[in-house]
Amino acid sequence: MSFVTVRDVWKSYDGRPILERVNVDVEEGEFISIVGASGCGKSTFLRLLLADELPSRGAIRIEQGHRAMEPNQERGVVFQRYSVFPHMTVRDNIVAAESFGTRSGWFFGKRLRGARERADETLARIGLSHVADNYPATLSGGMQQRLAIGQALTAQPRILLLDEPFGALDPGTRLAMHDFLTELRARTKMTVFMVTHDLTEGFKLGDRVLVFDKPRWDPHDPGAYGATITYDFDARDEGIPFQTIKEKTHVPVSA
Amino acid sequence: MSFVTVRDVWKSYDGRPILERVNVDVEEGEFISIVGASGCGKSTFLRLLLADELPSRGAIRIEQGHRAMEPNQERGVVFQRYSVFPHMTVRDNIVAAESFGTRSGWFFGKRLRGARERADETLARIGLSHVADNYPATLSGGMQQRLAIGQALTAQPRILLLDEPFGALDPGTRLAMHDFLTELRARTKMTVFMVTHDLTEGFKLGDRVLVFDKPRWDPHDPGAYGATITYDFDARDEGIPFQTIKEKTHVPVSA
Amino acid sequence: AAEEKTDFKVAWSIYAGWMPWGYLSDSGIMDKWAEKYGITVEIVQINDYVESINQYTAGEFDGVSATNMDTLSIPSGGGVDTTALIIGDYSNGNDAVILKGEGTVEDLAGKPVNLVELSVSHYLLARALDSVGLAEADLGGVVNTSDADMIAAFAAPEVEAVVTWNPLVSEILSSNPDATSVFDSSKIPGEILDLMVVNTQTLADNPDFGKAMVGAWYEVMGLMAAGDAEALGAMASAAGTDLEGYKAQLDKTAMFYDPAEAVAQAESADLPATMTNVAEFLFDKGILGVNAPSADFVGVAYPDGSTSGDEANVQFRYDTTYMKMAADGSL
Amino acid sequence: MRLINRRPSRPVAVLLAALPFVLIVIAYMIGSDLRLAANPQDKLLPAPSTIWDTAVRLFTEPDKRSGRILLWADTGASLRRLALGVGIAAAISLSLGVLIGLLPYARRLLSGFVAVISMVPPLALLPILFIVFGLGEVSKVVLIVIGITPFLTRDLSQRVLDIPHEEIVKAQTLGASTLVIALRVVLPQILPRLISAIRLALGSAWLFLIAAEAVAADVGLGYRIFLVRRYLAMDVILTYVLWITFLAFVIDWALKRLSGKAFPWMGAGL
Amino acid sequence: MRLINRRPSRPVAVLLAALPFVLIVIAYMIGSDLRLAANPQDKLLPAPSTIWDTAVRLFTEPDKRSGRILLWADTGASLRRLALGVGIAAAISLSLGVLIGLLPYARRLLSGFVAVISMVPPLALLPILFIVFGLGEVSKVVLIVIGITPFLTRDLSQRVLDIPHEEIVKAQTLGASTLVIALRVVLPQILPRLISAIRLALGSAWLFLIAAEAVAADVGLGYRIFLVRRYLAMDVILTYVLWITFLAFVIDWALKRLSGKAFPWMGAGL
Ligand SMILES: Nc1ncnc2c1ncn2[C@@H]1O[C@H](COP(=O)(O)OP(=O)(O)OP(=O)(O)O)[C@@H](O)[C@H]1O
Ligand SMILES: Nc1ncnc2c1ncn2[C@@H]1O[C@H](COP(=O)(O)OP(=O)(O)OP(=O)(O)O)[C@@H](O)[C@H]1O
Ligand SMILES: [Mg+2]
Ligand SMILES: [Mg+2]
């Protein structure tokens, strides 16, 4: 059986369909890039995977488990912005990834010291040791995203969700982050879903690239139908894709 | 004589030098791309050209005229954001480019109708006719920047200054904007300065590419010296540059 | 600097003995008398009694309804030479010291007392304590309490005694069966005088102003003395009560319906003693100002030409000229 | 499921929203019952039925003396003062806000002064106000103006400063003079903020109005409350309090609507 | 050069900032002189020298009767009431704000209620407060609490809602319970906002304090002002008004400093 199973998922907001008939199976350790036009529902799909929103119809399961009703430690996430806590130092942001799961949310004494040491190791690994006591606002965008990823991974999620994590970075920093992510993956073998606007980035990092688009559309009412996965590329072969067309796109629906 | 003359310009903030010994001559109709590390003073240089800030030393002249003391109609500008007026419709934003120069800032009657007609022509040219009555907030980022450029050009400036005009756009839209700008240039032969983070973009669009960097630096005090133009590439030959090294870079200064 | 003028403004505030001023203005009687003397007099009601005196002191009004004590402390103490044009009444039970539960004035010892500080209530309390040989220091403190909230205050658990005036007194006594009046102004008759005071200079320059005011006032006094239901009813409703309630308040007010009685009060030999008493009270409380060297720093002149206090600094005058004209029917 | 992720269904939501009001009414009824049982003459917490009767009387029966329905006369007078005071304060603070926010000279001249003035307790100045502006309508309006103008001015000048510098530069490159920038770029953009600032300041404006009317007035909502406070006529006071609350709510709602209608460009921001 | 681009030099800037204060003082001196020339005893606008003498006396000379320096006693009493009132209001509004902002159920239950309550004019409810809380310190503190809590609560709950949803989601993916989110994500982030909300509300708090002290008290800044109003001692009133203004300014400044010191992470925002 596959690791993540998405079965006939529909999602509408206020009766307006955004996603329809989404089906996909993902193996453990796969890196899935998700691309598609702006506003087509990529972030929505990620929120469904995160269980921050529930599908209007259909189900998403990890290892055939229960359907999650809300975000939990199984699913880590990094957004384009606001992914770290601005009121905690860089080190405390990492410690929080351990301590938030406890009843009070605080560590004390020996446990705190232990967590701090582990946090410092993590920071060394992601190259942020020199700013451990700084607040995130003083970090560059790239450093903040590295911190966010380090924090998400500290909680040891089963899948990691990235929503345009490098969208706000300049091209140079972006390339550095690609290397950082590739290196991390080589070490952890995490299952990752990453939404990106940048097709090159998607193919470069992903094992598979899912394209979201509206297969059906009504010329008189562009909002009448939702998007689904129209292509599912295998990108493992150094970015030279062989493609699986899943749906014919832009079939006009006679009104 | 050259069209824009920058002579031995220095700029410091609070005694901290940002730019030093900047010299450059630009011919009428040239497209100058400006690149450089983040925070090295590119936007500051543009603000000096704009006369939004005055140089601490040295002078900037257009056609050997007076040194401008504040922004005026000679210099048009488009920023990364906030370049259009959010409280005016798309059409009114274009009309404003004509009417702001009058005493009251308003057009009435026949003059207003005339300006509206010209605005509609401009909108047709930049492909925004269908949203003429919308407010900018409802436009996509690319459309807003097209409007900002159209607005700036309506005021018929002698030079046009662009500060990372496409920095906030996604790659697809960015490419479309490149085409839009290239096409406009072919028509107007405007003198343009464009700051960009993206080297490719700089070479693709520019006739010349200026690189800002700190030629001198003090290992003990990185903020002690300002940046200047270290390279001046000719980019006309389809982006294959032959370079003019203007300064040796990163010469350590014995402390 | 003689300053003749034809337009005058006087202020009044709601109190049993001053209600005629409202009626004077509403009924047109004031206008009638003003017209007779070729002037206009605007009568303005002000909610806040202290504010009305302050406004008069600052020169906004030519006259104001006030007690003898407040006249001495605010305008006269403030250097505004003021004449008592009309003595309307004296409080004859309208002001009272009220205790929660049974008791006498002696029982006030050790208890906090709520009252409008530095007002006639405070004076009444001082006189009450005097009568039994107590001093304010023997109390459990004096708590300044706005008259507007006196009834609510009396209902508060920690309030043990209040000093206040009508209609609050009758309201408190009637709605709190356990309330006892242990001392009231009927025990010090003639000491709390309710006046209409005017600027001395203005009066001197414009005798017609005095004549019109006094004439109008005693026309209404005549109506009241005759029990005119229309006039009394109007005053009662303006006071926020009914005819019965207003009559009950008037019972505690020694109105001088006859101008001759008012003249007699002004000429009474007790008046200088009362004023000296009041001045001492004010000085003791520091109300005459920090620069006041003694209690007799402000001089008060009486109808017979005698004075109490500092002769060189007479700022408060009892003048019976106009009331006598009314008594003689020569207005 | 975490509490933060639990959303009440529609009917439950309506019930919940009504609950606190129902509880307050019940608590009042119990309190009133207890006091009236102890003393049937008690005026402090009149029975709801008494309040209702009083309210009906106040809203419909004309005053014997003047023939006017006092509550409407009071409402008219108070609303006029409020509108005048708030209107004048808005006009002053709009001009000052634009000046302070836009012109460095004006900023130097006024911003410190406004900051200090905003700390002065206006109630303590009442006696002076009455002397300077008389006891008529003017002084009441002026108290409101003095009370809320500093706050409005500080808020608006901050908003002017918050307008992206880019917009001001852009206007200059289009040839706009200071006047044109003030009138066509700055003013329209702070108008919506003016409305929200007014909504914030209205509470204080009511307070000042009531305080001023308590001292010198012969008509007005605050005057009436102050007048009947002497007799502890809580039925009248509560009716007036509820009525003022209702008026305040309607004004707030109307301003919110106005803001939405008048400034359609305020969508998601630029 | 456009007016918006002209910046005063340093000495001119200092002069400009002082100008309005100087003008006010001069205007006062002229007004005072005129009135004192007409009547040397005039109390309304005492000469600046008189105010100075009075101020010195008030700050240094003990009261004859009680032996205490009244101004300090008044200041102590008022500041205690203010601190208590504001402190309690802050605690309540912090809890309510977090609840309303974070929990949909609490939001449904309370947000409409708080919106309505914030429209009630608290001054009109004074009689009820007196009966329920007595005439002592409690009712004064309660008036401040009632007066500013709705405003603080609305402001804080809005700030909680403004916290990026991403942060809340992130906390959940780190396993945080509702309690942990409230205590470790939301609370620390709205504390700085609490301080700025308090700075905004302090003006009203002073107002309610002065109003409460005017009604029933035997010590306090507002009490003294309303007491000496009885004999138009404007020198005392003006001294007290200036002193209150100074206190308000210092408190405001201290809160601003505190906010900067206590929340170093509030740099440029994330
Ligand atoms: N909470 C919501 N309520 C109503 N509509 C929503 C909501 N969230 C998203 N939408 C709508 O759903 C559609 C898809 O939004 P989504 O954010 O998933 O797009 P996206 O593919 O991530 O776009 P982008 O590339 O711009 O991030 C949009 O039209 C959006 O307006
Ligand atoms: N008004 C100012 N006052 C003080 N320092 C300033 C000011 N404007 C810019 N600086 C400083 O000048 C330096 C250059 O800033 P500038 O904005 O010109 O850089 P930039 O090259 O445009 O950077 P970026 O690529 O991030 O836009 C920075 O260190 C900045 O902190
Ligand atoms: Mg998205
Ligand atoms: Mg820049």
Side-chain angles (χ1 to χ4, degrees):
Chain A
M1 264 332 288
S2 64
F3 183 62
V4 178
T5 329
V6 179
R7 278 288 162 275
D8 193 31
V9 162
W10 294 62
K11 178 72 191 175
S12 11
Y13 286 117
D14 319 317
R16 210 158 48 86
I18 303 295
L19 294 176
E20 52 177 58
R21 294 174 296 125
V22 178
N23 284 290
V24 70
D25 291 284
V26 172
E27 299 306 321
E28 184 150 17
E30 272 190 318
F31 191 120
I32 310 292
S33 295
I34 298 171
V35 298
S38 191
C40 74
K42 303 182 296 296
S43 298
T44 304
F45 182 60
L46 223 58
R47 280 202 299 279
L48 292 175
L49 287 171
L50 194 52
D52 183 30
E53 305 257 6
L54 302 183
S56 312
R57 217 200 284 176
I60 297 175
R61 289 196 169 80
I62 299 185
E63 279 196 322
Q64 303 306 314
H66 281 292
R67 286 187 275 174
M69 302 302 283
E70 57 182 349
N72 57 28
Q73 273 167 295
E74 276 190 317
R75 301 125 203 262
V77 70
V78 173
F79 299 103
Q80 182 169 345
R81 301 180 63 201
Y82 309 118
S83 287
V84 292
F85 302 111
H87 58 292
M88 299 180 185
T89 63
V90 167
R91 183 185 293 113
D92 286 347
N93 258 291
I94 302 285
V95 172
E98 288 191 43
S99 68
F100 270 25
T102 63
R103 179 176 292 270
S104 78
W106 286 101
F107 277 161
F108 301 98
K110 216 175 123 193
R111 228 164 138 203
L112 177 60
R113 278 193 299 281
R116 284 227 174 113
E117 269 164 34
R118 284 190 297 281
D120 283 338
E121 281 164 29
T122 308
L123 289 178
R125 220 160 40 233
I126 61 178
L128 293 179
S129 295
H130 59 299
V131 290
D133 294 311
N134 288 22
Y135 287 97
T138 65
L139 269 52
S140 74
M143 287 158 98
Q144 288 187 19
Q145 290 306 73
R146 262 189 287 170
L147 175 60
I149 294 171
Q151 183 189 47
L153 291 180
T154 303
Q156 301 182 318
R158 308 189 64 182
I159 61 175
L160 180 63
L161 305 164
L162 308 171
D163 194 352
E164 303 189 35
F166 314 131
L169 307 181
D170 61 73
T173 319
R174 210 154 168 159
L175 288 175
M177 292 302 290
H178 291 172
D179 295 344
F180 170 70
L181 203 58
T182 313
E183 198 184 308
L184 264 189
R185 272 210 75 217
R187 227 173 324 145
T188 58
K189 270 294 158 205
M190 178 82 41
T191 310
V192 181
F193 290 81
M194 178 181 77
V195 170
T196 174
H197 252 117
D198 186 343
L199 217 75
T200 333
E201 183 175 277
F203 276 103
K204 176 175 167 195
L205 296 176
D207 298 323
R208 281 161 71 187
V209 177
L210 305 182
V211 181
F212 276 77
D213 203 352
K214 289 189 189 180
R216 303 183 289 169
W217 61 287
D218 181 342
H220 305 291
D221 179 6
Y225 295 97
T228 186
I229 299 174
T230 52
Y231 293 89
D232 183 347
F233 294 107
D234 190 325
R236 250 163 298 225
D237 191 7
E238 286 298 319
I240 299 153
F242 69 95
Q243 76 183 67
T244 329
I245 301 185
K246 295 195 66 173
E247 297 247 5
K248 283 203 205 136
T249 58
H250 295 274
V251 182
V253 170
S254 46
Chain B
M1 270 326 295
S2 63
F3 184 63
V4 179
T5 329
V6 179
R7 277 289 162 273
D8 192 32
V9 161
W10 295 61
K11 178 72 192 175
S12 12
Y13 286 118
D14 319 317
R16 212 159 47 87
I18 302 295
L19 295 177
E20 52 178 57
R21 295 174 296 125
V22 179
N23 285 288
V24 69
D25 291 285
V26 173
E27 299 306 321
E28 184 151 18
E30 272 190 317
F31 191 119
I32 311 291
S33 295
I34 298 171
V35 297
S38 191
C40 74
K42 304 182 295 296
S43 298
T44 304
F45 182 60
L46 222 59
R47 280 203 299 276
L48 292 175
L49 287 172
L50 194 51
D52 183 28
E53 306 259 5
L54 302 183
S56 312
R57 218 199 284 175
I60 297 175
R61 290 198 166 81
I62 298 185
E63 279 196 322
Q64 303 306 314
H66 282 292
R67 286 187 274 173
M69 302 302 284
E70 57 181 349
N72 58 27
Q73 272 166 295
E74 277 190 317
R75 301 125 203 261
V77 69
V78 173
F79 298 104
Q80 183 170 342
R81 301 180 64 201
Y82 309 118
S83 288
V84 292
F85 301 111
H87 58 291
M88 299 181 186
T89 62
V90 167
R91 182 186 292 113
D92 287 346
N93 259 291
I94 301 286
V95 172
E98 288 190 44
S99 67
F100 270 26
T102 62
R103 178 175 293 268
S104 78
W106 286 103
F107 277 161
F108 301 97
K110 216 175 125 193
R111 229 166 138 202
L112 178 60
R113 276 194 300 279
R116 285 228 171 111
E117 269 165 35
R118 283 190 297 282
D120 283 336
E121 281 164 27
T122 308
L123 289 178
R125 220 158 40 232
I126 60 179
L128 294 179
S129 296
H130 59 299
V131 289
D133 294 312
N134 288 22
Y135 287 98
T138 63
L139 267 54
S140 74
M143 287 158 98
Q144 288 187 19
Q145 289 307 72
R146 260 189 288 171
L147 175 59
I149 295 171
Q151 184 188 48
L153 292 179
T154 303
Q156 301 181 319
R158 307 191 64 184
I159 60 175
L160 180 63
L161 305 165
L162 309 172
D163 194 351
E164 301 187 38
F166 315 131
L169 307 180
D170 61 74
T173 319
R174 211 154 167 159
L175 288 176
M177 292 301 290
H178 291 170
D179 295 344
F180 170 69
L181 203 58
T182 312
E183 198 185 308
L184 263 188
R185 273 208 74 217
R187 224 169 330 142
T188 59
K189 271 292 158 204
M190 178 82 40
T191 310
V192 181
F193 291 81
M194 177 181 78
V195 170
T196 174
H197 251 116
D198 186 343
L199 218 75
T200 333
E201 183 175 277
F203 276 102
K204 177 176 167 193
L205 295 177
D207 298 323
R208 283 161 70 188
V209 178
L210 304 182
V211 182
F212 276 77
D213 204 351
K214 288 188 189 181
R216 302 181 291 168
W217 59 288
D218 182 343
H220 304 289
D221 180 5
Y225 295 97
T228 187
I229 298 174
T230 53
Y231 293 89
D232 184 347
F233 294 107
D234 190 323
R236 250 163 295 226
D237 190 7
E238 285 300 317
I240 298 155
F242 67 96
Q243 76 183 70
T244 329
I245 301 184
K246 295 194 66 174
E247 299 244 5
K248 281 202 208 141
T249 58
H250 294 276
V251 182
V253 171
S254 45
Chain C
E3 211 181 308
E4 280 182 41
K5 54 180 196 171
T6 55
D7 301 319
F8 300 88
K9 269 169 78 180
V10 299
W12 71 284
S13 45
I14 290 185
Y15 172 71
W18 289 326
M19 293 318 294
W21 289 111
Y23 181 71
L24 266 169
S25 136
D26 289 347
S27 64
I29 293 177
M30 187 71 243
D31 291 344
K32 188 181 83 189
W33 281 86
E35 211 169 293
K36 174 171 175 185
Y37 289 99
I39 59 175
T40 68
V41 178
E42 190 189 341
I43 295 180
V44 183
Q45 182 202 324
I46 293 181
N47 273 341
D48 189 305
Y49 166 63
V50 173
E51 199 54 50
S52 69
I53 304 177
N54 282 345
Q55 293 283 324
Y56 162 77
T57 306
E60 282 294 295
F61 292 100
D62 301 299
V64 68
S65 60
T67 65
N68 52 338
M69 179 182 129
D70 293 314
T71 305
L72 185 60
S73 66
I74 307 177
S76 300
V80 176
D81 194 337
T82 297
T83 296
L85 180 67
I86 296 169
I87 300 181
D89 66 276
Y90 66 81
S91 171
N92 191 22
N94 255 335
D95 297 77
V97 181
I98 303 174
L99 197 64
K100 251 189 207 164
E102 295 294 312
T104 62
V105 177
E106 279 97 339
D107 294 319
L108 289 174
K111 287 185 173 151
V113 179
N114 290 69
L115 46 69
V116 179
E117 257 187 80
L118 311 181
S119 69
V120 290
S121 297
H122 208 158
Y123 176 72
L124 181 73
L125 176 68
R127 299 284 284 128
L129 292 173
D130 262 355
S131 71
V132 295
L134 288 172
E136 204 180 300
D138 301 321
L139 300 175
V142 164
V143 181
N144 186 41
T145 306
S146 151
D147 51 330
D149 294 295
M150 201 58 83
I151 295 176
F154 195 78
E158 75 264 41
V159 171
E160 302 193 61
V162 302
V163 188
T164 188
W165 54 76
N166 258 332
L168 310 176
V169 169
S170 51
E171 183 71 41
I172 290 175
L173 289 175
S174 69
S175 59
N176 294 278
D178 61 336
T180 323
S181 168
V182 293
F183 191 89
D184 67 34
S185 52
S186 63
K187 308 230 172 64
I188 50 165
E191 289 195 24
I192 300 176
L193 297 173
D194 299 314
L195 317 170
M196 167 53 69
V197 301
V198 298
N199 188 296
T200 303
Q201 188 69 45
T202 307
L203 185 62
D205 297 340
N206 307 278
D208 283 348
F209 169 49
K211 290 178 190 166
M213 293 274 286
V214 173
W217 175 261
Y218 284 106
E219 180 174 339
V220 176
M221 286 301 108
L223 292 175
M224 287 176 77
D228 185 299
E230 194 263 329
L232 288 173
M235 291 181 213
S237 84
T241 178
D242 52 14
L243 196 53
E244 287 314 304
Y246 185 54
K247 277 185 173 158
Q249 288 176 31
L250 282 181
D251 286 344
K252 310 252 179 185
T253 314
M255 295 295 296
F256 296 121
Y257 294 121
D258 181 350
E261 290 172 27
V263 171
Q265 173 67 39
E267 290 172 345
S268 140
D270 296 337
L271 190 55
T274 299
M275 290 313 293
T276 308
N277 242 341
V278 168
E280 259 157 24
F281 169 81
L282 294 175
F283 180 71
D284 181 47
K285 299 289 173 204
I287 306 175
L288 285 178
V290 281
N291 301 325
S294 68
D296 46 18
F297 147 76
V298 179
V300 184
Y302 301 95
D304 59 3
S306 68
T307 58
S308 65
D310 185 351
E311 276 178 50
N313 185 30
V314 173
Q315 302 283 12
F316 188 1
R317 302 163 199 274
Y318 285 96
D319 185 346
T320 52
T321 320
Y322 297 89
M323 291 189 289
K324 273 192 175 137
M325 288 182 195
D328 302 344
S330 60
L331 286 173
Chain D
M1 209 164 162
R2 290 183 190 85
L3 231 49
I4 52 167
N5 292 321
R6 281 201 208 149
R7 269 153 226 288
S9 63
R10 189 98 194 101
V12 174
V14 172
L15 268 181
L16 281 176
L19 193 62
F21 297 98
V22 172
L23 285 182
I24 281 247
V25 169
I26 292 179
Y28 180 87
M29 282 166 72
I30 293 175
S32 162
D33 257 18
L34 284 179
R35 286 190 72 98
L36 287 173
N39 171 12
Q41 301 275 346
D42 183 72
K43 285 174 155 181
L44 187 75
L45 301 181
S49 60
T50 316
I51 298 182
W52 176 252
D53 293 345
T54 306
V56 169
R57 182 171 57 76
L58 289 173
F59 274 100
T60 55
E61 277 182 29
D63 177 51
K64 272 171 242 149
R65 263 206 304 168
S66 59
R68 296 179 307 176
I69 299 181
L70 290 184
L71 188 128
W72 293 113
D74 289 339
T75 306
S78 286
L79 287 185
R80 248 197 55 232
R81 290 165 188 153
L82 197 71
L84 264 173
V86 172
I88 294 172
I92 296 177
S93 58
L94 207 53
S95 331
L96 284 182
V98 171
L99 282 179
I100 293 176
L102 204 52
L103 308 185
Y105 270 86
R107 185 148 63 246
R108 289 295 177 179
L109 184 67
L110 292 172
S111 70
F113 184 64
V114 172
V116 170
I117 286 295
S118 70
M119 300 290 163
V120 176
L123 278 192
L125 295 179
L126 260 184
I128 303 182
L129 289 190
F130 283 127
I131 311 268
V132 179
F133 297 103
L135 283 165
E137 294 301 288
V138 182
S139 57
K140 295 170 197 81
V141 172
V142 167
L143 182 68
I144 297 177
V145 172
I146 290 187
I148 67 174
T149 303
F151 166 77
L152 290 180
T153 304
R154 289 183 82 175
D155 195 75
L156 290 181
S157 53
Q158 189 51 51
R159 294 299 153 155
V160 176
L161 284 170
D162 287 347
I163 291 180
H165 182 63
E166 285 90 338
E167 278 185 33
I168 310 290
V169 171
K170 181 84 184 204
Q172 293 185 60
T173 64
L174 302 181
S177 62
T178 295
L179 184 72
V180 170
I181 292 176
L183 293 182
R184 293 226 44 201
V185 179
V186 172
L187 205 59
Q189 290 199 64
I190 60 166
L191 280 181
R193 182 58 208 178
L194 174 69
I195 292 190
S196 28
I198 286 179
R199 287 176 60 204
L200 273 178
L202 263 180
S204 311
W206 276 104
L207 221 71
F208 291 119
L209 176 71
I210 291 176
E213 287 183 341
V215 172
D218 51 8
V219 63
L221 298 165
Y223 162 78
R224 198 70 54 194
I225 288 180
F226 185 84
L227 195 67
V228 301
R229 227 157 94 185
R230 285 173 204 271
Y231 311 99
L232 206 63
M234 288 306 297
D235 50 346
V236 178
I237 293 184
L238 286 176
T239 304
Y240 268 75
V241 166
L242 292 176
W243 176 235
I244 292 176
T245 305
F246 172 77
L247 288 175
F249 205 81
V250 167
I251 294 173
D252 187 67
W253 175 86
L255 284 175
K256 197 162 145 190
R257 288 277 316 220
L258 173 68
S259 179
K261 290 264 161 193
F263 310 110
W265 50 271
M266 289 270 296
L270 188 56
Chain E
M1 209 167 164
R2 289 182 190 86
L3 231 48
I4 53 167
N5 292 322
R6 281 201 208 150
R7 269 154 227 288
S9 62
R10 189 98 193 101
V12 174
V14 172
L15 268 181
L16 281 176
L19 193 62
F21 297 97
V22 172
L23 285 182
I24 282 245
V25 170
I26 291 179
Y28 180 87
M29 281 166 71
I30 293 176
S32 163
D33 257 17
L34 284 180
R35 287 191 72 98
L36 286 173
N39 170 14
Q41 304 259 9
D42 182 69
K43 284 173 156 181
L44 188 73
L45 300 181
S49 60
T50 315
I51 299 182
W52 177 252
D53 293 345
T54 306
V56 169
R57 181 173 58 76
L58 289 173
F59 274 99
T60 55
E61 277 180 30
D63 178 48
K64 273 172 243 151
R65 274 197 296 164
S66 60
R68 297 179 306 175
I69 300 181
L70 291 182
L71 187 126
W72 294 113
D74 289 337
T75 306
S78 286
L79 287 186
R80 251 198 53 234
R81 290 164 187 154
L82 197 71
L84 264 173
V86 172
I88 294 172
I92 296 176
S93 58
L94 207 53
S95 331
L96 284 182
V98 171
L99 283 179
I100 294 176
L102 205 51
L103 307 185
Y105 270 87
R107 186 148 62 245
R108 287 297 177 178
L109 184 66
L110 292 172
S111 71
F113 185 62
V114 172
V116 170
I117 287 295
S118 71
M119 301 289 165
V120 176
L123 281 189
L125 295 178
L126 265 181
I128 300 186
L129 289 192
F130 285 143
I131 312 274
V132 180
F133 298 103
L135 271 180
E137 295 300 289
V138 183
S139 58
K140 296 175 193 74
V141 172
V142 168
L143 183 67
I144 297 177
V145 172
I146 291 187
I148 66 175
T149 303
F151 166 76
L152 290 179
T153 304
R154 289 183 83 174
D155 195 72
L156 290 180
S157 54
Q158 188 52 50
R159 294 299 153 156
V160 176
L161 283 170
D162 286 349
I163 291 179
H165 182 62
E166 285 90 338
E167 277 184 34
I168 310 289
V169 170
K170 180 85 183 203
Q172 294 186 61
T173 65
L174 302 180
S177 64
T178 294
L179 184 71
V180 170
I181 293 176
L183 293 182
R184 294 226 43 201
V185 179
V186 171
L187 205 58
Q189 291 199 64
I190 60 167
L191 280 181
R193 182 57 207 177
L194 174 68
I195 293 189
S196 27
I198 286 179
R199 286 177 60 203
L200 274 178
L202 263 179
S204 310
W206 275 105
L207 224 69
F208 289 118
L209 176 71
I210 291 175
E213 288 183 340
V215 167
D218 53 6
V219 63
L221 298 165
Y223 159 79
R224 197 72 55 193
I225 288 180
F226 274 79
L227 185 66
V228 303
R229 198 171 65 106
R230 272 210 92 85
Y231 49 98
L232 207 62
M234 288 307 296
D235 49 348
V236 179
I237 294 185
L238 285 175
T239 304
Y240 268 73
V241 167
L242 292 176
W243 176 235
I244 293 176
T245 305
F246 173 77
L247 287 176
F249 206 79
V250 167
I251 295 174
D252 187 67
W253 175 86
L255 284 175
K256 197 163 148 188
R257 287 278 314 222
L258 172 69
S259 178
K261 291 265 160 193
F263 310 109
W265 51 270
M266 290 271 295
L270 188 58

